[in-house]
DNA sequence: GGAGGAAAATTG
DNA sequence: CAATTTTCCTCC
């Protein structure tokens, strides 16, 4: 309801907290860019969605089930349509989300089952989860773990239908979320659900495949192939468990959709029931599958109940396993509804990780954390989330068809390090990590890449995997005893097939040549007021493709307003394929062409933007020359031989003039 | 498991 | 057809 409604919370549930909190966090987020919050520009319709307010949204989305009641009953159908409708843009499936928000509890079981969420979920979820799950075996485990740990709670309401059946019985698969999707898809008419299981696209693909004529032949076939063969229902790798056919969920889903719940296994049913009962605390959105959420919407009350502000204190149960893609939707609602809301009302989850400590409660606790595509500030008040050690500019992501390619590393060896400054409490917090975009637009989860949890003896940092919306999120504990500092040696990057992702409803981004990502870290700090302060920081861009990493930068333009350029001056090079580790070497020659000297220019990482590089030009040696100085520079990325550098002409309009000026006014050159 | 290379497959 | 993406192979 809430979510739905209003922004979620407010309307239905009077969660005082919610609103109150809103303001601060939300806005803070983008301190720098106020407007951001509701990224107006977001193509995705961000703004609209958000602002629109839940209600409007839904309504508009309408089919989804504007009227409430209907939703419950005919979830899927509506959803489906809705999805299409709403999804316009990738990131937001408001409609879905909304629904999620609703308390699942009330929905009828059948409804729950419906969990339309799958619709959306699938895609994304499928994609994600699949990917993740597929790619990362860990996923399975992880996912499973979640479920196991959190399982019901989250799933419960919304998901419950799905999960319970699926999950509980089966278990583990992280993919479950996906499966649902699959199931949903299937239901929708997608041909085979089962195969789809493959996480990512598989589902989509197949179902879509039918639709798509274009590539069907080769790619599709293969993929399908893979799906079937390799990753049958759930990706083979991942969860063998999953039964071949859609396994529980699918079947369940189908059935449910069909109207049968009969197929649910008793256990599933139980699970579902449990979910309903328990879920309350959790989040609305998160766990709930989209569809279910809708249902939920209808049943506002329950949600509200949950909402109670738990404190953001600690406890933090990890996000529900459910966080499956669908979950994110909930978030979105929230966002949409009221950005702030998220912060506000978040109650804590009673659940905790199975693990050692309950990490930061804050994040998990509230179902209403800011959506992943929200822009958040890296510092606020005494707190600052900072990346102490940046990741290397290159990291070849692995496909689901490959083995892991390891964790992202730091350029100087070791791994990236993130630290939260200004936090003096004794409670540990949870650091969230997901793969974000690195383009010129607002930071948002990258549709074609997912963080991949890496485990093993070489990994010192414990982590948990969760799925928000279609985005996999790695949760890493930030412990006071470690100065709230974490070494990120457990994060790899999984590449999803472009074709799979592009098939998703609402996905507007294209994968081709969209191979740069950023590691995005978030932490949710509980405030005395009961609210939660969310901070976020993104790393430097990371080139994830094998090929692009080998390409040379292409200088298309040199800044002309930063001259003169004698030493210590900065020059901005812009063009294509610049990376954080791009090198620029200046070569100076005497008028007679004699090679005078060459030196690698310093690059200003902090000022680097995508496809541009700020270099500090070293002082020229031949300062006294009065005749033209011949200076050129060479650019390259990563480790390349000198002969492979790309040569460019250094072109100050008038070198002599520059030199004279420099000499007269500066002593820089020596 | 984690790379690095590169062939095979897709795209535009 | 060239650029890119994805799948395979090999090695440590």
């Amino acid at each position: 309801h809430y979510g739905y409604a209003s922004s979620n919370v407010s309307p239905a549930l009077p969660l005082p907290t919610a609103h109150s909190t809103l303001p601060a966090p939300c806005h803070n987020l983008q301190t720098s860019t106020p407007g951001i919050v509701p990224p107006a520009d977001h193509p995705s319709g961000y703004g609209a969605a958000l602002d629109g307010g839940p209600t409007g949204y839904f309504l508009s989305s309408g089919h989804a089930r504007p009227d409430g009641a209907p939703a419950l009953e005919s979830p899927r159908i509506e959803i489906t349509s809705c999805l299409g409708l709403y999804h316009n843009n990738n990131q937001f499936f408001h409609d879905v989300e909304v629904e999620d928000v609703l308390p699942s509890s009330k929905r009828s079981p059948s409804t729950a089952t419906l969990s339309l969420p799958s619709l959306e979920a699938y895609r994304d979820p499928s994609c994600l989860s699949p990917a993740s799950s597929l790619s990362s075996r860990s996923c399975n485990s992880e996912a499973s773990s979640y479920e196991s740990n959190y399982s019901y709670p989250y799933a419960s309401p919304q998901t419950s239908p799905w999960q319970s059946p699926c999950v509980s019985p089966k278990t583990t698969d992280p993919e479950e979320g996906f499966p649902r999707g699959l199931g949903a898809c299937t239901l929708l008419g997608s041909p085979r659900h089962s195969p789809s299981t493959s996480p990512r696209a598989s589902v989509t693909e197949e179902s879509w495949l039918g639709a798509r004529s274009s590539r069907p032949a080769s790619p599709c076939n293969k993929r399908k192939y893979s799906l079937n063969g390799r990753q049958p229902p759930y990706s083979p790798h991942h969860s063998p468990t999953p039964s071949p056919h859609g396994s529980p969920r699918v079947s369940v889903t189908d059935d449910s959709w069909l109207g049968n719940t009969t197929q649910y296994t008793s256990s599933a049913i139980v699970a579902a029931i449990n979910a309903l009962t328990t879920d309350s605390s959790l989040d609305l959105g998160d766990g709930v599958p989209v569809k279910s959420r809708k249902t939920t919407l209808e049943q506002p009350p329950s949600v509200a109940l949950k909402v109670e502000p738990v404190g953001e204190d600690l406890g933090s149960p990890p996000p529900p396993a459910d966080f499956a893609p669908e979950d994110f939707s909930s978030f979105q609602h929230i966002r949409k509804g009221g950005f702030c809301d998220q912060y506000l009302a978040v109650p804590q989850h009673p659940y905790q990780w199975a693990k050692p400590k309950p990490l930061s409660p804050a994040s998990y606790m509230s179902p209403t954390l800011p959506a992943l595509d929200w822009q958040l500030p890296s510092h606020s008040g005494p707190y600052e989330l900072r990346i102490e050690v940046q990741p290397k500019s290159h990291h070849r992501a692995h496909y689901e068809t490959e083995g892991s390619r390891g964790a992202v590393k730091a350029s100087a060896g070791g791994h990236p390090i993130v630290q939260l400054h200004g936090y003096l409490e004794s409670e540990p917090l949870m650091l969230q990590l997901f793969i974000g975009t690195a383009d010129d637009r607002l930071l948002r989860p990258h549709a074609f890449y997912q963080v991949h949890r890496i485990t093993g003896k070489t990994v010192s940092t414990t982590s948990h995997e969760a799925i928000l919306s279609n985005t996999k999120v790695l949760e890493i504990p930030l412990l006071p005893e470690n100065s709230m500092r974490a070494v990120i040696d457990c994060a790899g990057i999984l590449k999803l097939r472009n074709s799979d992702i592009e098939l998703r409803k609402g996905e507007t981004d294209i994968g081709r040549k969209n191979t740069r990502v950023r590691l995005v870290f978030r932490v949710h700090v509980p405030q005395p007021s009961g609210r939660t302060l969310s901070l976020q920081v993104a790393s430097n861009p990371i080139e994830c493709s094998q090929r692009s990493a080998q390409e040379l930068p292409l200088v298309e333009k040199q800044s002309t307003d930063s001259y003169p350029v004698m030493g210590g001056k900065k020059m901005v090079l812009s063009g294509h394929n610049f990376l954080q580790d791009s090198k620029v070497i200046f070569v100076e020659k005497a008028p007679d062409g004699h090679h005078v000297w060459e030196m690698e220019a310093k690059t200003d990482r902090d000022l680097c933007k995508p496809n541009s590089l700020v270099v500090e030009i070293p002082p020229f040696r031949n300062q006294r020359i009065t005749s033209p100085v011949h200076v050129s520079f060479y650019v390259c990325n990563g480790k390349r031989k000198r002969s492979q550098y790309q040569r460019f002409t250094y072109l100050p309009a008038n070198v002599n003039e520059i030199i004279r000026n420099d000499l007269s006014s500066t002593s820089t050159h020596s």
Side-chain angles (χ1 to χ4, degrees), chain A residues 393-548:
Chain A
S393 60
H394 289 101
H395 176 80
R396 181 171 162 181
H398 63 268
Y399 284 82
E400 293 172 310
T401 52
E402 301 181 297
S404 168
R405 284 185 178 278
V408 173
K409 300 174 186 61
S411 55
H415 296 84
I417 294 177
V418 176
Q419 185 169 8
L420 172 63
H421 295 272
Y423 181 77
L424 305 176
E425 305 301 315
S426 59
E427 292 297 330
L429 295 179
M430 192 64 78
L431 177 69
Q432 296 182 309
L433 162 60
F434 63 91
I435 303 300
T437 56
D439 56 28
D440 297 328
R441 297 192 289 159
L442 290 176
L443 174 62
R444 58 196 183 288
H446 204 301
F448 303 90
Y449 292 88
Q450 292 292 317
V451 64
H452 171 245
R453 176 172 170 252
I454 292 180
T455 57
K457 38 192 173 183
T458 58
V459 178
S460 62
T461 306
T462 59
S463 64
H464 220 258
E465 214 171 48
I467 296 177
L468 292 181
S469 71
N470 294 303
T471 305
K472 237 202 216 182
V473 177
L474 217 51
E475 302 173 329
I476 301 163
L478 278 181
L479 309 175
E481 50 265 47
N482 291 335
S483 304
M484 302 306 280
R485 182 183 177 92
V487 175
I488 314 302
D489 61 356
C490 55
I493 302 177
L494 169 71
K495 173 68 169 66
L496 301 178
R497 289 199 210 89
N498 293 336
S499 58
D500 289 343
I501 301 306
E502 292 167 353
L503 285 173
R504 289 188 194 165
K505 286 184 181 179
E507 182 55 66
T508 57
D509 284 350
I510 56 175
R512 195 174 176 82
K513 301 192 76 169
N514 184 2
T515 57
R516 289 191 186 191
V517 310
R518 281 183 287 179
L519 298 185
V520 184
F521 299 94
R522 278 190 175 188
V523 67
H524 305 285
V525 186
Q527 300 293 294
S529 63
R531 301 177 185 177
T532 299
L533 172 64
S534 296
L535 299 177
Q536 167 178 298
V537 64
S539 73
N540 289 332
I542 301 172
E543 173 56 61
C544 293
S545 77
Q546 174 188 18
R547 180 154 183 276
S548 298

Side-chain angles (χ1 to χ4, degrees), chain A residues 287-614:
Chain A
V288 183
V290 176
K291 294 183 178 180
S292 17
R293 296 175 186 175
K294 288 185 177 180
T295 309
T296 316
L297 294 179
E298 296 176 350
Q299 310 171 348
S302 56
V303 174
L305 299 179
K306 296 178 179 181
V307 179
E308 308 197 71
V310 173
E312 283 70 53
D313 352 26
L314 324 167
S316 59
D322 317 358
F323 265 52
E326 301 98 325
D327 302 335
F328 84 147
S329 58
S330 55
F331 285 59
Q332 295 182 344
H333 316 318
I334 296 170
R335 310 168 188 171
K336 296 176 180 179
F339 304 92
C340 302
D341 299 354
Q342 302 176 350
Y343 301 84
L344 307 179
V346 183
Q348 295 179 342
H349 296 287
Y351 310 46
Q352 297 180 348
W353 289 28
K355 303 189 172 181
K357 293 182 174 187
L359 296 179
S360 60
S363 46
Y364 304 84
M365 308 179 52
S366 56
T368 53
L369 295 175
L372 299 182
D373 53 351
W374 276 37
Q375 310 300 303
L376 302 174
S378 61
H379 57 82
S380 177
Y383 310 108
E384 178 178 7
L385 183 61
R386 190 192 306 165
I387 295 179
E388 304 295 337
V389 176
Q390 288 283 344
K392 286 176 56 176
S393 60
H394 289 101
H395 176 80
R396 181 171 162 181
H398 63 268
Y399 284 82
E400 293 172 310
T401 52
E402 301 181 297
S404 168
R405 284 185 178 278
V408 173
K409 300 174 186 61
S411 55
H415 296 84
I417 294 177
V418 176
Q419 185 169 8
L420 172 63
H421 295 272
Y423 181 77
L424 305 176
E425 305 301 315
S426 59
E427 292 297 330
L429 295 179
M430 192 64 78
L431 177 69
Q432 296 182 309
L433 162 60
F434 63 91
I435 303 300
T437 56
D439 56 28
D440 297 328
R441 297 192 289 159
L442 290 176
L443 174 62
R444 58 196 183 288
H446 204 301
F448 303 90
Y449 292 88
Q450 292 292 317
V451 64
H452 171 245
R453 176 172 170 252
I454 292 180
T455 57
K457 38 192 173 183
T458 58
V459 178
S460 62
T461 306
T462 59
S463 64
H464 220 258
E465 214 171 48
I467 296 177
L468 292 181
S469 71
N470 294 303
T471 305
K472 237 202 216 182
V473 177
L474 217 51
E475 302 173 329
I476 301 163
L478 278 181
L479 309 175
E481 50 265 47
N482 291 335
S483 304
M484 302 306 280
R485 182 183 177 92
V487 175
I488 314 302
D489 61 356
C490 55
I493 302 177
L494 169 71
K495 173 68 169 66
L496 301 178
R497 289 199 210 89
N498 293 336
S499 58
D500 289 343
I501 301 306
E502 292 167 353
L503 285 173
R504 289 188 194 165
K505 286 184 181 179
E507 182 55 66
T508 57
D509 284 350
I510 56 175
R512 195 174 176 82
K513 301 192 76 169
N514 184 2
T515 57
R516 289 191 186 191
V517 310
R518 281 183 287 179
L519 298 185
V520 184
F521 299 94
R522 278 190 175 188
V523 67
H524 305 285
V525 186
Q527 300 293 294
S529 63
R531 301 177 185 177
T532 299
L533 172 64
S534 296
L535 299 177
Q536 167 178 298
V537 64
S539 73
N540 289 332
I542 301 172
E543 173 56 61
C544 293
S545 77
Q546 174 188 18
R547 180 154 183 276
S548 298
Q550 302 175 323
E551 288 185 15
L552 289 168
L554 175 60
V555 177
E556 297 176 337
K557 190 170 65 175
Q558 295 175 38
S559 60
T560 54
D561 51 7
S562 58
Y563 296 134
V565 182
M566 294 307 283
K569 301 292 183 178
K570 290 183 179 179
M571 176 174 74
V572 179
L573 301 178
S574 57
H576 292 297
N577 204 34
F578 278 102
L579 297 173
Q580 287 299 310
D581 67 352
S582 291
K583 294 177 184 173
V584 179
I585 293 178
F586 278 86
V587 176
E588 175 184 348
K589 293 182 180 180
D592 61 358
H594 178 68
H595 185 104
V596 175
W597 160 90
E598 73 175 53
M599 178 175 179
E600 184 174 325
K602 293 179 184 176
T603 55
D604 191 332
R605 263 63 174 172
D606 295 335
L607 296 179
C608 286
K609 292 181 180 179
N611 294 322
S612 71
L613 193 66
V614 176

